[in-house]
Each structure stands twice: as C-alpha cells, then as structure tokens.
Amino acid sequence: QVHVVESGGGLVQPGGSLRLSCAASGNFFRITAMGWYRQAPGKARELVADITRSGRVDYADSGKGRFTISRDGTENTVNLQMASLKPEDTAVYYCYADVDHGASHKKYWGQGTQVTVSS
C-alpha cells in the first residue's frame, strides 16, 4: 500500500504565491513519476505539472512561467511552487505518484488540498 499526502493549500490573494508539498510513503519498488492535477468546481480534473524519475518536467499551458515543480531531495517528495496566482487557479489540487511495484504499476492519489485565490 502507498499513501500520498499533500499539504500547503490555503487562501491567497491574486498575484500571491503558494507552495504545495506532497510525500508518498509505503511499500514499493520505485516511483516513476509524481505530479499534480487540479479540479475546479464543475470542471474536469486537469494536469498541472509532473516530474519523472529522470527529472523530466512537464507543465500545463496554464501554469507555464508561473508554476515550478521540483523534488524535495528524494524521489518520493515533490513540491509545487505557484506564483502570480489568479482566481482561475482556484481548485482542489491533487498529488499523484506513479508507482512501480515490480510486477505491476499503479497510480496513487492524495486526498487533495484546496487552493483559493481571492481578494
């Protein structure tokens, strides 16, 4: 079993910054990628950013130039630094971990953390 836990959400004014953190723990061979999705009310869940085991990063167009995903020293911890936040960034942000169990792969999700951008 693998557990994914997010932290760092909250209320921030437009133009402000916020840092989300995510850690995966449990029994696994290795993590092949971690990343963030978000889901706003009435909308589908969408990719925000992800980072592979080799360090390759990918961003949705909405976050390019404003969001930065990085590892926090280990393969099972990632951060999402968000700057110049806009009201349309308001959503529940979900962290995921793609886990290699050796004989199988599985994606694990966190419970989500609310980010609200409002004045």
Side-chain angles (χ1 to χ4, degrees):
Q1 185 68 21
V2 176
H3 299 280
V4 177
V5 179
E6 308 101 333
S7 62
L11 173 65
V12 63
Q13 292 186 342
S17 299
L18 207 59
R19 181 183 178 92
L20 305 182
S21 296
C22 174
S25 62
N27 296 317
F28 54 84
F29 175 53
R30 64 184 174 188
I31 292 175
T32 57
M34 293 186 72
W36 295 88
Y37 276 69
R38 69 185 182 186
Q39 187 166 21
K43 294 188 177 181
R45 191 174 292 193
E46 61 178 7
L47 175 69
V48 177
D50 59 23
I51 182 167
T52 67
R53 180 179 176 82
S54 64
R56 174 183 163 184
V57 299
D58 191 24
Y59 297 96
D61 288 342
S62 59
K64 286 181 179 177
R66 299 188 299 126
F67 296 174
T68 303
I69 189 170
S70 62
R71 287 204 196 90
D72 193 14
T74 65
E75 68 169 4
N76 61 323
T77 305
V78 293
N79 298 314
L80 183 68
Q81 182 69 44
M82 302 186 291
S84 302
L85 284 162
K86 307 173 183 178
E88 50 263 45
D89 293 317
T90 295
V92 178
Y93 283 69
Y94 296 92
C95 179
Y96 77 88
D98 280 331
V99 176
D100 179 359
H101 286 290
S104 63
H105 285 74
K106 187 174 180 179
K107 185 182 246 79
Y108 294 87
W109 294 91
Q111 292 298 307
T113 185
Q114 177 70 47
V115 172
T116 302
V117 184
S118 174
S119 56

